[in-house]
Amino acid sequence: MSMAPKSGKWRDLAPRLLSAVVMVAVGLGAVLSGHLAFTVLVIAVGLIGLWELWRMARIKQAAGGFGPGDQPMLALYLVVLLLGCLGLISLSAEGGRALLLYAIGLVVVTDSLGYLVGKTLGGPKFWPRISPNKTWSGILGGWVGAMIFAYYTHAYMPEGFVRLWFFVTSAMVLSFASQLGDMLESALKRRMGVKDSSNIIPGHGGVLDRFDALLAVGALYVILATIFG
């Protein structure tokens, strides 16, 4: 029996793992360097992200113009980008190094476990019209991975932090937010008719392709902080 289908099934594993390593390395370096360095990184990501949104809009216009729902989708992602950057900077200022590392680690674990479980088990699609490659098994695998990650990292959080059960439960919510961020960016790219948000990272696409999930977590942080003070 030929092994070609299986090889094809896993052909993008190495790039995805490399992307995760790059994201962790850049984020970790900025976090360990302090709040100012991390803020500069987030601002840089935000500015490049704005350029990528502008670039995608230009490509869409050149290909025939905007259709129904295209501009609202761009506006929605602009809000996510801005709130995400604000949330990450606020998290750095208010939560410190431990929470930042936790947020980055949770996104990486969610993406990696979701990908591996989804590719291994397959099954029904989660939201085929929005993200054809996402399966329920991958979504649940990401949640389980995030909750296990939260369970083992709770001890490293600031003294007097939230209770373990709440920390683990909220990890699932943050995990789902990161998955929705990834799906929203994928939906935007399909509407704009592009494969990647840009080619600024050779072989890996653009900044929004790499940080979409983390930006969604940052945006959720702003929303929850606004609601609950």
Side-chain angles (χ1 to χ4, degrees), residues 18-43:
L18 180 58
S19 297
V21 170
V22 171
M23 184 177 71
V24 170
V26 172
L28 183 61
V31 170
L32 295 180
S33 297
H35 175 64
L36 178 59
F38 184 77
T39 298
V40 170
L41 172 63
V42 173
I43 292 174

Side-chain angles (χ1 to χ4, degrees), residues 80-154:
V80 172
L81 172 62
L82 296 177
L83 287 182
C85 290
L86 176 61
L88 292 174
I89 292 173
S90 298
L91 186 61
S92 173
E94 299 165 7
R97 185 176 297 170
L99 281 179
L100 275 178
L101 291 175
Y102 167 71
I104 295 170
L106 182 139
V107 168
V108 173
V109 168
T110 294
D111 183 67
S112 301
L113 264 294
Y115 173 78
L116 291 172
V117 172
K119 284 290 188 180
T120 301
L121 300 181
K125 302 296 184 181
F126 174 75
W127 200 346
R129 188 170 67 86
I130 298 298
S131 185
N133 296 323
K134 287 282 192 301
T135 61
W136 271 104
S137 62
I139 293 291
L140 295 176
W143 293 358
V144 171
M147 293 172 75
I148 294 174
F149 179 72
Y151 179 83
Y152 284 104
T153 55
H154 181 263

Side-chain angles (χ1 to χ4, degrees), residues 135-223:
T135 61
W136 271 104
S137 62
I139 293 291
L140 295 176
W143 293 358
V144 171
M147 293 172 75
I148 294 174
F149 179 72
Y151 179 83
Y152 284 104
T153 55
H154 181 263
Y156 300 96
M157 293 300 107
E159 187 176 355
F161 201 58
V162 297
R163 293 181 180 273
L164 176 61
W165 70 266
F166 182 80
F167 190 63
V168 172
T169 304
S170 65
M172 184 182 72
V173 178
L174 293 173
S175 175
F176 191 41
S178 74
Q179 292 165 333
L180 288 179
D182 178 60
M183 285 186 275
L184 177 62
E185 201 252 351
S186 296
L188 174 63
K189 289 189 295 184
R190 281 198 302 280
R191 278 187 172 272
M192 297 299 107
V194 299
K195 181 174 182 263
D196 297 310
S197 58
S198 76
N199 57 0
I200 197 169
I201 306 175
H204 301 288
V207 162
L208 294 181
D209 298 320
R210 301 280 69 84
F211 294 97
D212 50 3
L214 190 59
L215 287 169
V217 170
L220 179 61
Y221 178 80
V222 170
I223 294 171

